[in-house]
Amino acid sequence: RPPAPRLRRLVVLRAASVSAVAEESAAARGRLECLSQVAGVLGTQWGDEGKGKLVDILAQRFDVVARCQGGANAGHTIYNSEGKKFSLHLVPSGILNENTQCVIGNGAVVHLPGFFKEIDGLESNGVSCKGRILVSDRAHLLFDFHQVVDGLREVELGNSFIGTTKRGIGPCYSNKVIRNGLRVSDLRHMDTFGAKLNTLLKDAAMRFKGFEYSSKTLKEEVEKYEKFAERLGPYITDTVHFMNESILQKKKILVEGGQATMLDIDFGTYPFVTSSSPSAGGICTGLGIAPRTLGDIIGVVKAYTTRVGSGPFPTELLGKTGDLLRASGMEFGTTTGRPRRCGWLDIVALRYCCQINGFSSLNLTKLDVLTGLKEIKLGTSYCTEDGKAIESFPADLDILEQTKVKYEALPGWEEDISSVRDYDDLPETARLYVERIEELVGIPVHYIGVGPGRDALIYK
Ligand code: GTP
């Protein structure tokens, strides 16, 4: 006997959703299985693009996930398969996948109190870390005093402050570059550790009026690091050797970028940048692996633009639309809680970023946040105040501050897209938006984020 009409509809719906899941995973498999042995995920804007989610998804297929630059100034937010939220700062996102080994490379800076706090938090939530996190013996140590100096420097800059996260990242890299920094390997020589730290503290005290320390505070700090040295022992690794051996052993390696190209010390909007290289070049220098080992580099780009802190932002929206994006995109920093500045997607900056990194594909995130907007704009070109075209992304911030942006307006969509998993099920106008971006930058969008959850991703 055929099922009653209502029941029959349910049966049909169920069959349709089962086949949709099968199709979706086939699409996902298609994308994920062909990724190169060494792949990278990098931010394309001013950070917070949602790199953590893609890294977390990809990590399931990689043996090693590595961080090559930055410190606890990154703030990836990821969810495990039970939907539990984890905010990671220094530990690579691969930590939630128990078969993955996580590397903190030589290009990163490590604040040990923060690192152990993160590990304690993970372990108390059932995520085991011992033996799974390898910390480079060449990575630099970031001390509490670097954070104090970070704050003092911002105060000193007055109205021209950078808007750093005050995590001490810049001062730590400064010590690295002027060659008096302490590295993880120095923890193996606690007999000379105190004297080296004293030199750094003395320098800081000479440089900054408000900075003080005493022999008592130095002694206490050294004692603290003696304990850290013991606890960190099992984590300390020659990661350059490990990475290159892993490549020879054909292990799959995923490099997780922090921050983004527009914050790159060389290519970003200097001086409103971070102190490391979050672009493709930083992968090689920050891990000690050769350029020819790199394969797919995926650029993560938010469907609009956000920026934290000071610095030029040509497509910034200061009115209602900007507020709307901030509210619906929950644009507040994971690490600091600071509200993010919001604006339209800047194609000129994105093209520049694509040139620098040579992306194989893009992950467009937070497309769902644009739902409900009548019109969506893309900043497609820059010109001077008197209308003269600016051909490339300007190094000169004065020019950038005065840049006029030419926009292309596209129609928006009303439909909730957060449960869409098949590209063809997106509203036509949403597809038009994605395809116009692909056309303007010349790089395919292979992944589209439609919600914060791990599953809220369309494989195109
Ligand atoms: P940084 O390294 O600090 O730049 O971090 P990130 O790039 O990983 O960004 P972050 O973790 O701050 O992610 C931004 C937020 O967006 C997180 O809360 C994510 O869960 C969320 N998110 C990621 N993808 C999507 C998406 O497609 N839609 C929505 N609505 N939220 C998303």
Side-chain angles (χ1 to χ4, degrees):
R1 229 178 44 177
R6 194 163 171 271
L7 203 60
R8 196 164 53 220
R9 220 181 70 228
L10 279 178
V11 170
V12 172
L13 276 179
R14 193 132 180 259
S17 70
V18 167
S19 78
V21 168
E23 260 171 48
E24 176 204 330
S25 54
R29 267 200 308 276
R31 281 285 167 237
L32 302 177
E33 274 172 11
C34 64
L35 283 171
S36 55
Q37 188 201 346
V38 182
V41 173
L42 302 179
T44 63
Q45 295 159 306
W46 281 280
D48 310 312
E49 296 89 352
K51 301 175 284 290
K53 180 173 129 184
L54 184 67
V55 172
D56 184 41
I57 292 168
L58 300 187
Q60 297 170 50
R61 298 186 178 250
F62 284 78
D63 306 301
V64 178
V65 177
R67 288 271 318 260
C68 60
Q69 46 72 229
N73 51 343
H76 292 322
T77 312
I78 50 176
Y79 295 81
N80 70 3
S81 45
E82 284 98 51
K84 200 173 168 71
K85 184 176 168 179
F86 288 85
S87 290
L88 300 176
H89 300 291
L90 181 65
V91 172
S93 301
I95 197 69
L96 297 192
N97 305 295
E98 52 188 44
N99 298 321
T100 307
Q101 272 186 298
C102 295
V103 170
I104 298 174
N106 58 280
V109 291
V110 186
H111 179 242
L112 287 180
F115 174 70
F116 288 127
K117 198 169 153 205
E118 218 169 307
I119 286 188
D120 290 341
L122 283 161
E123 293 203 320
S124 66
N125 277 295
V127 182
S128 86
C129 297
K130 253 208 193 106
R132 296 189 47 224
I133 303 179
L134 315 178
V135 180
S136 170
D137 50 5
R138 291 177 172 86
H140 276 248
L141 290 174
L142 189 154
F143 294 93
D144 288 346
F145 92 85
H146 284 125
Q147 301 184 339
V148 177
V149 165
D150 207 350
L152 290 171
R153 213 178 114 69
E154 285 286 85
V155 172
E156 193 180 82
L157 286 169
N159 285 340
S160 325
F161 70 99
I162 308 280
T164 78
T165 53
K166 299 202 181 85
R167 303 269 150 172
I169 312 287
C172 180
Y173 278 110
S174 299
N175 283 135
K176 173 177 177 172
V177 173
I178 60 167
R179 293 163 294 181
N180 63 1
L182 273 101
R183 305 201 293 179
V184 166
S185 59
D186 285 303
L187 293 167
R188 293 186 184 126
H189 309 284
M190 288 312 291
D191 50 332
T192 51
F193 194 89
K196 286 181 183 170
L197 182 57
N198 189 35
T199 308
L200 294 190
L201 293 169
K202 214 160 74 185
D203 268 9
M206 282 194 307
R207 169 68 183 77
F208 294 97
K209 247 197 203 146
F211 187 90
E212 281 169 16
Y213 81 102
S214 63
S215 52
K216 184 170 170 274
T217 50
L218 171 67
K219 191 169 166 271
E220 282 166 3
E221 189 73 348
V222 174
E223 281 168 4
K224 208 164 84 182
Y225 272 81
E226 272 164 0
K227 292 199 185 96
F228 285 155
E230 203 172 308
R231 191 170 172 198
L232 194 72
Y235 295 85
I236 304 176
T237 309
D238 179 349
T239 55
V240 175
H241 179 72
F242 173 84
M243 291 300 292
N244 283 285
E245 281 301 304
S246 300
I247 290 171
L248 285 178
Q249 289 162 14
K250 300 277 177 255
K251 285 190 182 162
K252 290 201 80 176
I253 296 165
L254 182 68
V255 184
E256 167 180 0
Q259 295 91 40
T261 296
M262 299 313 289
L263 292 171
D264 187 285
I265 184 81
D266 286 283
F267 307 114
T269 44
Y270 190 90
F272 303 103
V273 292
T274 195
S275 307
S276 61
S277 301
S279 19
I283 298 179
C284 299
T285 55
L287 290 170
I289 57 175
R292 68 192 168 94
T293 60
L294 304 185
D296 293 308
I297 307 285
I298 305 167
V300 183
V301 51
K302 213 177 268 190
Y304 47 98
T305 308
T306 59
R307 165 160 213 178
V308 186
S310 318
F313 181 174
T315 60
E316 183 166 16
L317 286 161
L318 294 168
K320 251 197 203 153
T321 315
D323 294 342
L324 206 85
L325 290 176
R326 187 174 310 109
S328 40
M330 293 196 281
E331 297 298 352
F332 299 90
T334 330
T335 306
T336 59
R338 286 187 292 181
R340 296 173 183 149
R341 299 155 67 193
C342 298
W344 296 122
L345 183 57
D346 185 337
I347 295 291
V348 182
L350 183 58
R351 258 199 222 115
Y352 166 69
C353 177
C354 291
Q355 285 173 339
I356 292 164
N357 295 290
F359 297 125
S360 43
S361 65
L362 295 176
N363 168 203
L364 189 69
T365 63
K366 294 195 152 185
L367 189 65
D368 54 305
V369 174
L370 298 182
T371 298
L373 292 175
K374 276 211 160 49
E375 191 178 63
I376 304 166
K377 290 186 180 172
L378 288 169
T380 50
S381 60
Y382 289 173
C383 64
T384 58
E385 278 185 339
D386 50 5
K388 232 172 86 195
I390 298 175
E391 296 299 342
S392 59
F393 192 83
D396 191 326
L397 291 203
D398 291 336
I399 297 178
L400 200 57
E401 291 280 13
Q402 284 154 31
T403 287
K404 296 272 165 263
V405 182
K406 288 193 181 166
Y407 290 97
E408 192 174 299
L410 283 96
W413 58 90
E414 286 293 333
E415 300 89 324
D416 176 4
I417 59 168
S418 57
S419 52
V420 174
R421 297 293 176 267
D422 188 334
Y423 182 69
D424 293 331
D425 291 341
L426 278 176
E428 193 187 348
T429 46
R431 278 183 279 134
L432 192 77
Y433 185 66
V434 174
E435 285 159 30
R436 187 64 185 136
I437 295 168
E438 289 180 316
E439 199 170 44
L440 287 166
V441 298
I443 293 174
V445 172
H446 281 173
Y447 314 87
I448 301 165
V450 288
R454 218 190 224 186
D455 66 321
L457 194 71
I458 297 172
Y459 295 86
K460 179 172 170 289

